[in-house]
């Protein structure tokens, strides 16, 4: 789908297994920025290269035009096809330093952050050729200067990318969707990052990995709703912990899911791990 001149969104569906008999339908958005060379933002899950390459051909470009693949972070749905894309195109793979070790070693990622079915979502580790940091600018030609913003919270090295001239922001998973699965490393860092994005400049189009494109007034609304959601979760976690101090992590997660009215799929170890991040900080602050 063409979002704006030279900017394209690809919605890639996939399944994650949730136990032996259940699977969860999900999707992830990858983006193409077509200047003189092409920048691919995230690779999608394993096998997504076919969709991406076919799309490029349909708009009169070639897979080899991809000069750089920016991985906004290391999660499986963002890096699954990275290795295959690098092998097919010879592109540079770029990411933040804090994501490098998990991108270059998916076994390490799986040990430190188990995700069911990881091996079917990621087709191998890939080397990070270029480390990106806050303030970098990727010049793609034809007026596409992409500014790099470090927006941690969802993960330590999450990146957002801004085309200031075109007023298009790629926020990856940094702006949480209210009512969906809250998955992050650090609730307060998420809040700081959304505020950073909110005030970075004039944004006409917001392109998230887990939501359809937002335009005009929808952009700030999405960010404000995300901030309210983050605050709500933080409050719910502390409420549950005060009321049931002996509750284990999954029991706490169950109560937060109930209070926030989240879908049943939110009762899972990844969400529980996200919620626990609020408590670790609280313990540090209250010796
Ligand atoms: Zn993610």
């Amino acid at each position: 789908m063409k979002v704006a001149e030279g900017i394209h969104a690809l919605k890639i569906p996939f399944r994650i297994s949730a136990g032996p008999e259940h699977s969860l339908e999900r999707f992830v958005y990858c983006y193409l920025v077509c200047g003189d060379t092409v920048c691919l933002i995230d690779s999608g899950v394993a096998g997504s290269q076919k969709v991406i390459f076919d799309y490029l051909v349909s708009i009169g470009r070639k897979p080899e035009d991809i000069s750089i693949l920016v991985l906004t972070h290391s999660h499986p749905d963002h890096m699954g096809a990275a290795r295959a894309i690098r092998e097919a195109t010879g592109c540079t793979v770029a990411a933040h330093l804090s994501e490098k070790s998990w991108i270059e070693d998916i076994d390490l990622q799986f040990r430190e952050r188990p995700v069911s079915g990881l091996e079917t979502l990621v087709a191998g580790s890939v080397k990070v050729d270029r480390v990106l940091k806050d303030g970098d600018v990727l010049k793609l030609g034809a007026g596409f200067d992409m500014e790099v913003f470090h927006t941690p919270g969802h993960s330590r090295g999450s990146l957002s990318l801004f085309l200031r001239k075109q007023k298009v922001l790629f926020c990856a998973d940094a702006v949480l969707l209210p009512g969906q699965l809250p998955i992050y490393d650090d609730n307060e860092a998420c809040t700081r990052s959304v505020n950073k994005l909110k005030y970075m400049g004039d944004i006409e189009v917001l392109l998230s990995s887990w939501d359809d494109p937002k335009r005009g007034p929808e952009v700030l609304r999405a960010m404000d709703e995300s901030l309210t959601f983050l605050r709500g979760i933080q409050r719910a976690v502390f409420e549950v912990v005060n009321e049931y101090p002996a509750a284990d992590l999954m029991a706490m997660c169950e109560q937060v899911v109930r209070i926030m009215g989240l879908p049943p799929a939110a009762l899972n170890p990844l969400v529980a791990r996200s919620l626990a991040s609020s408590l670790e900080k609280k313990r540090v602050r209250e010796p």
Side-chain angles (χ1 to χ4, degrees):
M1 171 187 28
K2 182 174 169 180
V3 176
E5 203 50 50
I7 303 167
H8 302 264
L10 281 83
K11 190 175 188 175
I12 299 178
F14 65 96
R15 284 168 179 274
I16 42 176
S17 71
E21 283 168 23
H22 298 285
S23 65
L24 219 59
E25 301 274 353
R26 304 277 303 223
F27 65 83
V28 65
Y29 269 106
C30 300
Y31 297 99
L32 291 161
V33 180
C34 303
D36 293 334
T37 63
V38 173
C39 171
L40 171 62
I41 301 171
D42 289 330
S43 75
V45 293
S48 302
Q49 66 274 16
K50 170 142 180 44
V51 179
I52 295 166
F53 294 168
D54 286 352
Y55 186 86
L56 273 171
V57 171
S58 79
I59 58 166
R61 305 289 300 236
K62 303 186 294 295
E64 305 82 68
D65 290 348
I66 300 174
S67 62
I68 186 164
L69 162 59
V70 177
L71 298 176
T72 59
H73 60 294
S74 58
H75 290 167
D77 46 337
H78 297 258
M79 67 157 288
R83 183 186 182 133
I85 290 168
R86 186 171 189 269
E87 279 170 4
T89 67
C91 67
T92 297
V93 175
H96 190 271
L97 183 63
S98 302
E99 304 288 318
K100 192 172 184 286
S101 60
W102 280 9
I103 292 169
E104 293 188 337
D105 185 350
I106 61 154
D107 294 329
L108 174 72
Q109 173 171 173
F110 187 65
R111 281 198 302 277
E112 295 185 351
R113 184 179 185 267
V115 172
S116 63
L118 181 99
E119 59 290 344
T120 61
L121 297 175
V122 180
S125 311
V126 67
K127 185 177 176 305
V128 173
D129 308 295
R130 180 169 175 187
V131 167
L132 295 175
K133 60 180 191 314
D134 197 90
D136 284 349
V137 179
L138 302 172
K139 291 187 177 292
L140 306 172
F144 289 104
D145 291 346
M146 204 153 67
E147 298 176 25
V148 176
F149 287 83
H150 183 210
T151 46
H154 175 69
S155 70
R156 278 173 302 168
S158 278
L159 294 176
S160 297
L161 304 157
F162 188 38
L163 293 166
R164 193 172 292 278
K165 192 172 144 204
Q166 291 79 6
K167 301 181 181 174
V168 175
L169 172 67
F170 304 88
C171 65
D173 289 346
V175 179
L176 259 77
L177 273 184
Q180 295 300 312
L181 273 56
I183 292 177
Y184 50 75
D185 274 356
D186 182 334
N187 186 304
E188 289 175 20
C190 275
T191 298
R192 279 195 299 277
S193 288
V194 176
N195 277 318
K196 179 175 176 174
L197 294 176
K198 223 177 131 176
Y199 299 110
M200 67 196 276
D202 196 5
I203 307 163
E204 195 65 48
V205 186
L206 179 68
L207 299 175
S208 153
S209 302
W210 48 22
D211 198 9
D212 298 331
K214 296 271 178 276
R215 294 176 189 270
E218 292 178 326
V219 173
L220 282 186
R221 201 180 308 138
M223 293 189 184
D224 285 336
E225 285 173 0
S226 182
L227 291 169
T228 305
F229 184 49
L230 283 162
R231 265 196 306 274
I233 294 169
Q234 189 89 318
R235 259 201 309 271
V237 169
F238 292 143
E239 191 183 312
V240 171
V241 170
N242 284 336
E243 205 169 330
Y244 310 100
D248 67 18
L249 217 49
M250 287 310 286
M252 185 267 278
C253 183
E254 192 178 353
Q255 292 304 316
V256 172
V257 167
R258 180 185 58 77
I259 292 169
M260 296 297 294
L262 300 178
L267 179 56
N268 75 50
L270 268 188
V271 171
R273 174 191 163 122
S274 305
L275 302 179
S277 70
S278 303
L279 303 175
E280 283 154 23
K281 291 217 158 184
K282 192 165 190 269
R283 271 198 290 274
V284 173
R285 251 189 263 114
E286 295 174 6

